[in-house]
Amino acid sequence: MEIEIFSLALLMTLLGAAYVKGYDLVKKKSPEHLPHFYLIMATIRMLLVLTVVGIYALFSHSRADTIHFALIGIGMYVVMMVITLSLRH
């Protein structure tokens, strides 16, 4: 389960970095599109996290591990959202 958590943390880091870099780029090029960028990125981030958790649930043999992984994934998602929003708003 350690490799799965590391992979999930890496995914959250990459998604957060993509949001911060994309926010800077959109703010520099066309700031009027920032609300659209935020909504698109929020949707992409949510779908990717749900997909990763769903794939883990599909291939996991333990229900308890699946529940723990889902809770960790949701927690990491919330922390990533708070950090990225506090950095750029």
Side-chain angles (χ1 to χ4, degrees):
M1 178 114 169
E2 292 81 22
I3 190 75
E4 292 90 356
I5 294 173
F6 175 75
S7 300
L8 191 59
L10 182 63
L11 174 68
M12 296 298 172
T13 303
L14 291 174
L15 289 174
Y19 174 78
V20 170
K21 294 297 182 186
Y23 182 90
D24 290 341
L25 183 69
V26 171
K27 188 174 182 179
K28 187 171 82 170
K29 298 285 184 179
S30 59
E32 67 274 3
H33 292 328
L34 278 175
H36 297 115
F37 172 77
Y38 173 75
L39 291 174
I40 290 169
M41 281 300 293
T43 303
I44 290 169
R45 291 188 291 186
M46 186 182 345
L47 287 175
L48 280 173
V49 171
L50 290 175
T51 301
V52 168
V53 170
I55 289 171
Y56 183 82
L58 198 65
F59 291 111
S60 176
H61 299 292
S62 171
R63 183 170 185 226
D65 283 347
T66 301
I67 291 171
H68 288 120
F69 186 77
L71 290 174
I72 291 169
I74 291 169
M76 284 183 174
Y77 178 77
V78 169
V79 169
M80 178 198 50
M81 291 293 288
V82 168
I83 290 172
T84 56
L85 288 176
S86 66
L87 285 175
R88 294 295 172 228
H89 291 278

